[in-house]
Short mmCIF file of all heavy atoms in Angstrom, two decimals:
data_model
loop_
_atom_site.label_atom_id
_atom_site.label_comp_id
_atom_site.label_asym_id
_atom_site.label_seq_id
_atom_site.Cartn_x
_atom_site.Cartn_y
_atom_site.Cartn_z
N ALA X 23 62.45 -64.99 79.49
CA ALA X 23 63.58 -64.08 79.61
C ALA X 23 63.10 -62.65 79.80
O ALA X 23 63.65 -61.88 80.59
CB ALA X 23 64.46 -64.19 78.37
N THR X 24 62.06 -62.28 79.05
CA THR X 24 61.53 -60.92 79.14
C THR X 24 60.99 -60.65 80.55
O THR X 24 61.24 -59.61 81.16
CB THR X 24 60.40 -60.74 78.13
OG1 THR X 24 60.90 -60.93 76.83
CG2 THR X 24 59.79 -59.33 78.22
N TYR X 25 60.24 -61.62 81.08
CA TYR X 25 59.70 -61.47 82.44
C TYR X 25 60.82 -61.35 83.45
O TYR X 25 60.80 -60.51 84.36
CB TYR X 25 58.81 -62.66 82.78
CG TYR X 25 58.72 -62.90 84.27
CD1 TYR X 25 57.92 -62.09 85.08
CD2 TYR X 25 59.52 -63.88 84.87
CE1 TYR X 25 57.89 -62.30 86.43
CE2 TYR X 25 59.47 -64.06 86.23
CZ TYR X 25 58.64 -63.26 87.01
OH TYR X 25 58.64 -63.43 88.37
N THR X 26 61.86 -62.21 83.33
CA THR X 26 62.97 -62.23 84.28
C THR X 26 63.69 -60.91 84.31
O THR X 26 64.03 -60.37 85.38
CB THR X 26 63.91 -63.36 83.95
OG1 THR X 26 63.24 -64.62 83.98
CG2 THR X 26 65.09 -63.40 84.95
N LEU X 27 63.99 -60.35 83.15
CA LEU X 27 64.69 -59.05 83.08
C LEU X 27 63.87 -57.94 83.73
O LEU X 27 64.42 -57.09 84.46
CB LEU X 27 65.03 -58.72 81.65
CG LEU X 27 66.16 -59.53 81.01
CD1 LEU X 27 66.27 -59.17 79.52
CD2 LEU X 27 67.47 -59.28 81.72
N ALA X 28 62.58 -57.90 83.46
CA ALA X 28 61.75 -56.85 84.05
C ALA X 28 61.64 -57.02 85.55
O ALA X 28 61.74 -56.02 86.29
CB ALA X 28 60.35 -56.88 83.40
N ALA X 29 61.48 -58.25 86.03
CA ALA X 29 61.37 -58.48 87.47
C ALA X 29 62.69 -58.14 88.16
O ALA X 29 62.70 -57.56 89.24
CB ALA X 29 60.99 -59.93 87.73
N LYS X 30 63.82 -58.49 87.54
CA LYS X 30 65.10 -58.21 88.14
C LYS X 30 65.34 -56.74 88.24
O LYS X 30 65.91 -56.23 89.20
CB LYS X 30 66.23 -58.88 87.32
CG LYS X 30 67.59 -58.78 87.97
CD LYS X 30 68.62 -59.56 87.20
CE LYS X 30 69.98 -59.50 87.88
NZ LYS X 30 71.01 -60.25 87.17
N ARG X 31 64.89 -55.98 87.22
CA ARG X 31 65.04 -54.52 87.26
C ARG X 31 64.31 -53.95 88.48
O ARG X 31 64.81 -53.09 89.17
CB ARG X 31 64.46 -53.92 85.96
CG ARG X 31 64.29 -52.43 85.98
CD ARG X 31 65.63 -51.68 86.00
NE ARG X 31 66.38 -51.82 84.80
CZ ARG X 31 66.30 -50.97 83.75
NH1 ARG X 31 65.46 -49.95 83.81
NH2 ARG X 31 67.05 -51.16 82.71
N MET X 32 63.10 -54.43 88.75
CA MET X 32 62.35 -53.96 89.90
C MET X 32 62.99 -54.37 91.22
O MET X 32 63.03 -53.57 92.18
CB MET X 32 60.89 -54.43 89.82
CG MET X 32 60.10 -53.76 88.69
SD MET X 32 58.34 -54.19 88.65
CE MET X 32 58.43 -55.80 87.79
N LEU X 33 63.48 -55.60 91.29
CA LEU X 33 64.13 -56.06 92.49
C LEU X 33 65.42 -55.27 92.77
O LEU X 33 65.75 -54.96 93.91
CB LEU X 33 64.44 -57.56 92.40
CG LEU X 33 63.23 -58.49 92.43
CD1 LEU X 33 63.67 -59.91 92.05
CD2 LEU X 33 62.55 -58.47 93.78
N GLU X 34 66.19 -54.97 91.72
CA GLU X 34 67.42 -54.22 91.85
C GLU X 34 67.15 -52.81 92.36
O GLU X 34 68.03 -52.20 92.99
CB GLU X 34 68.18 -54.15 90.53
CG GLU X 34 68.87 -55.45 90.15
CD GLU X 34 69.58 -55.35 88.84
OE1 GLU X 34 69.19 -54.48 88.03
OE2 GLU X 34 70.50 -56.14 88.61
N ARG X 35 65.98 -52.30 92.11
CA ARG X 35 65.61 -50.97 92.55
C ARG X 35 65.04 -50.94 93.98
O ARG X 35 64.55 -49.92 94.46
CB ARG X 35 64.66 -50.33 91.58
CG ARG X 35 65.31 -49.98 90.27
CD ARG X 35 64.34 -49.60 89.20
NE ARG X 35 63.42 -48.55 89.60
CZ ARG X 35 62.46 -48.04 88.78
NH1 ARG X 35 62.33 -48.57 87.58
NH2 ARG X 35 61.68 -47.08 89.20
N GLY X 36 65.11 -52.12 94.65
CA GLY X 36 64.74 -52.15 96.09
C GLY X 36 63.33 -52.57 96.38
O GLY X 36 62.96 -52.60 97.57
N HIS X 37 62.55 -52.92 95.38
CA HIS X 37 61.20 -53.35 95.69
C HIS X 37 61.19 -54.79 96.24
O HIS X 37 62.04 -55.64 95.82
CB HIS X 37 60.33 -53.34 94.42
CG HIS X 37 60.11 -51.93 93.90
ND1 HIS X 37 59.23 -51.05 94.51
CD2 HIS X 37 60.66 -51.25 92.86
CE1 HIS X 37 59.24 -49.91 93.86
NE2 HIS X 37 60.08 -49.99 92.86
N ALA X 38 60.31 -55.09 97.15
CA ALA X 38 60.26 -56.43 97.75
C ALA X 38 59.71 -57.45 96.78
O ALA X 38 58.91 -57.10 95.87
CB ALA X 38 59.37 -56.35 99.01
N PRO X 39 60.09 -58.71 96.95
CA PRO X 39 59.62 -59.74 96.00
C PRO X 39 58.11 -59.89 95.92
O PRO X 39 57.57 -60.09 94.84
CB PRO X 39 60.25 -61.02 96.57
CG PRO X 39 61.43 -60.59 97.35
CD PRO X 39 61.04 -59.25 97.93
N GLU X 40 57.42 -59.80 97.06
CA GLU X 40 55.99 -60.04 97.05
C GLU X 40 55.18 -59.04 96.21
O GLU X 40 54.40 -59.47 95.37
CB GLU X 40 55.44 -60.04 98.52
CG GLU X 40 55.93 -61.23 99.34
CD GLU X 40 57.30 -61.04 99.91
OE1 GLU X 40 57.85 -59.89 99.79
OE2 GLU X 40 57.87 -62.00 100.45
N PRO X 41 55.39 -57.71 96.37
CA PRO X 41 54.65 -56.79 95.49
C PRO X 41 55.06 -56.89 94.02
O PRO X 41 54.24 -56.69 93.13
CB PRO X 41 54.94 -55.39 96.07
CG PRO X 41 56.12 -55.58 96.95
CD PRO X 41 56.10 -57.00 97.44
N VAL X 42 56.34 -57.22 93.80
CA VAL X 42 56.79 -57.36 92.39
C VAL X 42 56.06 -58.53 91.73
O VAL X 42 55.51 -58.44 90.63
CB VAL X 42 58.31 -57.57 92.32
CG1 VAL X 42 58.75 -57.99 90.94
CG2 VAL X 42 59.01 -56.27 92.71
N MET X 43 56.05 -59.69 92.42
CA MET X 43 55.36 -60.83 91.88
C MET X 43 53.86 -60.63 91.77
O MET X 43 53.22 -61.05 90.80
CB MET X 43 55.63 -62.08 92.75
CG MET X 43 57.09 -62.48 92.86
SD MET X 43 57.79 -62.93 91.24
CE MET X 43 58.79 -61.49 90.92
N ALA X 44 53.29 -59.98 92.78
CA ALA X 44 51.84 -59.72 92.75
C ALA X 44 51.45 -58.84 91.57
O ALA X 44 50.46 -59.08 90.87
CB ALA X 44 51.41 -59.09 94.05
N ALA X 45 52.24 -57.78 91.32
CA ALA X 45 51.94 -56.88 90.24
C ALA X 45 52.07 -57.58 88.87
O ALA X 45 51.21 -57.45 88.00
CB ALA X 45 52.84 -55.67 90.28
N ALA X 46 53.17 -58.34 88.70
CA ALA X 46 53.40 -58.99 87.41
C ALA X 46 52.35 -60.04 87.12
O ALA X 46 51.78 -60.10 86.02
CB ALA X 46 54.79 -59.62 87.42
N PHE X 47 52.04 -60.87 88.11
CA PHE X 47 51.11 -61.97 87.85
C PHE X 47 49.67 -61.53 87.97
O PHE X 47 48.80 -62.10 87.27
CB PHE X 47 51.42 -63.14 88.81
CG PHE X 47 52.61 -63.94 88.39
CD1 PHE X 47 53.88 -63.55 88.68
CD2 PHE X 47 52.45 -65.06 87.60
CE1 PHE X 47 54.99 -64.23 88.29
CE2 PHE X 47 53.56 -65.80 87.19
CZ PHE X 47 54.83 -65.40 87.53
N GLY X 48 49.37 -60.54 88.80
CA GLY X 48 48.04 -60.01 88.83
C GLY X 48 47.65 -59.36 87.53
O GLY X 48 46.56 -59.57 86.99
N THR X 49 48.59 -58.54 86.99
CA THR X 49 48.33 -57.92 85.68
C THR X 49 48.29 -58.95 84.56
O THR X 49 47.50 -58.87 83.65
CB THR X 49 49.39 -56.85 85.39
OG1 THR X 49 49.49 -55.96 86.49
CG2 THR X 49 49.07 -56.09 84.14
N GLY X 50 49.19 -59.95 84.65
CA GLY X 50 49.18 -61.02 83.67
C GLY X 50 47.84 -61.77 83.67
O GLY X 50 47.35 -62.14 82.60
N ALA X 51 47.27 -61.98 84.83
CA ALA X 51 45.97 -62.63 84.93
C ALA X 51 44.89 -61.83 84.23
O ALA X 51 44.00 -62.39 83.55
CB ALA X 51 45.60 -62.88 86.40
N LEU X 52 44.93 -60.51 84.38
CA LEU X 52 43.97 -59.67 83.70
C LEU X 52 44.12 -59.74 82.19
O LEU X 52 43.14 -59.78 81.43
CB LEU X 52 44.15 -58.19 84.14
CG LEU X 52 43.79 -57.90 85.60
CD1 LEU X 52 44.07 -56.43 85.94
CD2 LEU X 52 42.31 -58.22 85.90
N LEU X 53 45.38 -59.83 81.71
CA LEU X 53 45.60 -59.95 80.28
C LEU X 53 45.04 -61.26 79.73
O LEU X 53 44.62 -61.33 78.56
CB LEU X 53 47.12 -59.84 79.96
CG LEU X 53 47.76 -58.49 80.23
CD1 LEU X 53 49.26 -58.58 79.97
CD2 LEU X 53 47.14 -57.42 79.36
N LEU X 54 45.07 -62.28 80.53
CA LEU X 54 44.60 -63.61 80.08
C LEU X 54 43.14 -63.84 80.41
O LEU X 54 42.61 -64.86 80.06
CB LEU X 54 45.44 -64.70 80.74
CG LEU X 54 46.90 -64.79 80.29
CD1 LEU X 54 47.67 -65.81 81.09
CD2 LEU X 54 47.00 -65.12 78.79
N ALA X 55 42.47 -62.89 81.05
CA ALA X 55 41.05 -63.05 81.39
C ALA X 55 40.19 -63.35 80.18
O ALA X 55 39.26 -64.21 80.27
CB ALA X 55 40.55 -61.83 82.13
N PRO X 56 40.43 -62.72 79.01
CA PRO X 56 39.58 -63.06 77.83
C PRO X 56 39.67 -64.54 77.45
O PRO X 56 38.72 -65.10 76.89
CB PRO X 56 40.15 -62.15 76.73
CG PRO X 56 40.72 -61.00 77.47
CD PRO X 56 41.29 -61.56 78.70
N VAL X 57 40.82 -65.16 77.69
CA VAL X 57 40.96 -66.58 77.36
C VAL X 57 40.01 -67.41 78.18
O VAL X 57 39.34 -68.35 77.69
CB VAL X 57 42.41 -67.05 77.63
CG1 VAL X 57 42.54 -68.55 77.40
CG2 VAL X 57 43.38 -66.29 76.72
N LEU X 58 39.83 -67.07 79.49
CA LEU X 58 38.90 -67.80 80.35
C LEU X 58 37.46 -67.43 79.97
O LEU X 58 36.57 -68.26 80.11
CB LEU X 58 39.20 -67.47 81.80
CG LEU X 58 40.50 -68.00 82.37
CD1 LEU X 58 40.68 -67.55 83.82
CD2 LEU X 58 40.54 -69.52 82.30
N ALA X 59 37.25 -66.18 79.57
CA ALA X 59 35.89 -65.75 79.26
C ALA X 59 35.38 -66.37 77.95
O ALA X 59 34.18 -66.68 77.84
CB ALA X 59 35.82 -64.23 79.19
N LEU X 60 36.27 -66.51 76.99
CA LEU X 60 35.87 -66.96 75.66
C LEU X 60 36.25 -68.38 75.37
O LEU X 60 35.73 -68.98 74.39
CB LEU X 60 36.49 -66.04 74.60
CG LEU X 60 36.13 -64.54 74.73
CD1 LEU X 60 36.90 -63.73 73.69
CD2 LEU X 60 34.62 -64.32 74.59
N GLY X 61 37.17 -69.00 76.10
CA GLY X 61 37.62 -70.31 75.80
C GLY X 61 36.72 -71.40 76.30
O GLY X 61 35.73 -71.15 77.03
#
């Protein structure tokens, strides 16, 4: 729900779906990088 509200806010402001998804999931991947490094 948190992700959906944030993404919808960006889409409502006129940003295209591709950069919105790329920013959200690219940054999310960076946040999860320690899991891959240490797991």
